Amino acid sequence: MTIGGWHRFAGWFCRCLVGGIFFYAGALKMADVIVFAGEVAAYHLIPHNFTYLVAAILPGIEVLIGALLLLDCRVRGAAFLAGVLNLIFILALVSALARGLNISCGCFGLGHDSTVLKALSRDLALMVAIVVTFLSACIPEASVETASTGTALTEAEIAHPGEHSETT
Amino acid sequence: MPKMSNLRQAIYEALLISALGIALGLLLNRQLLWNVLADQNAVIPVQTETDKRLVPVALDETRELIEKGAFLIDARPIEFYREGHIAGALPLPLSTPDGDIKGFRSRVPANATVIVYCDGYDCNDSNLLGLKLLAAGYREVLIYEGGFSEWEEENLPVRKGDTP
């Protein structure tokens, strides 16, 4: 497979993986917001009544991110937001770990609880997939193809390849 | 590296997605949020059904109830149970599927007094499992909030392994 082929495959794979995980996690939490509020409260990071607000809006954002990534629509924005959310999750888990809290991570709603350490390692791996998704959505495939041949194209050449190929 | 224009567009799109997600969440949960706003003292965990509540109990009360025949249930993950649990406690991790919790009634009758615990005051697994037990038909579900940490600190009997 060429470099461009790998670039396409990695971008596609990570986009589907991140999209699927966010959609699944958001849908499970959305199904039982009260229980999710309890799991948010267990972190002791935000005031009591705000836990309901976070539990009410977070699953909606996760489902939207997941759906957009799966549908290959607004990938840059969805991947960027997924990265920001994932960073917040990682910081919350590190804080729980530092305080020695023995809580369910609340990542996939009730019935999928995992230890804080397990959730943290999963979120770090997910962050790698998010970064790959974001970068492959930002870097044009043409520049990757030319990287393998050693000839860099200008933006104008990428946009209008026919006009410039005759002169060079 | 992504260009600044890509980053700007990504931030703009992310803000738009956030706004839509927040609107969706508020719309779907408007009744719940209204209830929370109306009742500032709403507590977590909340009631699952009318007249069914989780009742917190202290260490002394827990010991008395165990002597009277109450069942003690460990809500922590099974690895923690194996590492050490309150002597006599039955393992029922929060991750147990709902169907298996209903099956648990063959071991502990629904009319029994059950006391659920997890690690201590900082953990929430006992509250969440308590709600599931109420939903599964248990009528008297108590939460030992001090949990395993307090029990161990008081040098009360603990056991390791799979046996209660």
Side-chain angles (χ1 to χ4, degrees):
Chain A
M1 200 184 278
T2 62
I3 292 179
W6 278 112
H7 170 256
R8 262 196 304 277
F9 176 74
W12 171 85
F13 180 78
C14 290
R15 178 174 58 76
C16 291
L17 182 76
V18 176
I21 290 173
F22 266 78
F23 190 84
Y24 177 65
L28 283 177
K29 288 169 194 162
M30 208 179 243
D32 203 338
V33 172
I34 293 173
V35 167
F36 180 49
E39 290 175 329
V40 173
Y43 281 87
H44 297 285
L45 284 174
I46 44 178
H48 176 79
N49 280 345
F50 280 96
T51 56
Y52 282 105
L53 189 63
V54 171
I57 62 176
L58 193 59
I61 299 174
E62 285 184 333
V63 164
L64 265 183
I65 290 172
L68 289 170
L69 288 176
L70 288 172
L71 295 171
D72 198 9
C73 176
R74 303 281 169 195
V75 173
R76 270 177 286 198
F80 184 84
L81 189 56
V84 172
L85 283 185
N86 201 44
L87 187 66
I88 295 170
F89 298 155
I90 288 170
L91 292 176
L93 287 167
V94 168
S95 135
L97 201 64
R99 287 175 291 153
L101 296 184
N102 168 28
I103 53 174
S104 157
C105 80
C107 313
F108 294 99
L110 199 58
H112 289 75
D113 66 321
S114 49
T115 59
V116 171
L117 205 58
K118 206 190 287 180
L120 188 60
S121 46
R122 191 174 49 211
D123 279 1
L124 287 171
L126 185 64
M127 192 55 119
V128 175
I130 291 170
V131 170
V132 172
T133 307
F134 181 72
L135 289 180
S136 60
C138 289
I139 300 169
E141 279 173 23
S143 63
V144 179
E145 292 285 2
T146 53
S148 59
T149 60
T151 52
L153 295 176
T154 63
E155 273 189 49
E157 283 170 331
I158 292 166
H160 309 286
E163 294 168 23
H164 296 268
S165 58
E166 289 166 12
T167 57
T168 51
Chain B
M1 286 296 290
K3 288 184 202 157
M4 280 310 289
S5 59
N6 278 330
L7 207 58
R8 255 202 310 273
Q9 196 189 346
I11 294 170
Y12 169 73
E13 285 177 2
L15 288 173
L16 201 68
I17 298 165
S18 304
L20 281 173
I22 290 170
L24 181 71
L26 293 178
L27 191 72
L28 290 174
N29 299 294
R30 59 190 183 282
Q31 190 61 52
L32 170 73
L33 293 170
W34 179 253
N35 289 346
V36 173
L37 276 176
D39 177 11
Q40 291 296 320
N41 297 318
V43 290
I44 296 169
V46 296
Q47 284 175 255
T48 45
E49 294 170 30
T50 51
D51 77 353
K52 274 190 175 182
R53 265 185 196 279
L54 296 173
V55 181
V57 282
L59 176 64
D60 292 342
E61 210 177 343
T62 302
R63 294 180 68 185
E64 275 174 34
L65 286 164
I66 293 169
E67 281 170 20
K68 285 180 188 168
F71 288 87
L72 201 55
I73 295 176
D74 191 323
R76 300 173 303 159
I78 196 72
E79 310 90 70
F80 290 95
Y81 180 86
R82 288 188 185 125
E83 281 171 22
H85 56 266
I86 296 177
L90 299 168
L92 189 65
L94 177 63
S95 55
T96 308
D98 289 351
D100 291 354
I101 288 185
K102 281 181 184 152
F104 190 68
R105 290 201 302 194
S106 58
R107 290 176 72 187
V108 177
N111 59 359
T113 300
V114 293
I115 306 170
V116 191
Y117 74 90
C118 49
D119 198 49
Y121 291 100
D122 284 331
C123 74
N124 203 36
D125 288 11
S126 51
N127 286 319
L128 297 173
L129 182 67
L131 289 174
K132 288 175 91 173
L133 288 170
L134 286 177
Y138 285 90
R139 295 184 200 102
E140 197 172 4
V141 182
L142 312 172
I143 306 295
Y144 169 38
E145 292 184 320
F148 185 67
S149 315
E150 186 183 64
W151 189 274
E152 206 176 22
E153 277 168 21
E154 295 291 326
N155 291 319
L156 291 164
V158 295
R159 195 161 290 165
K160 287 185 178 181
D162 286 324
T163 50

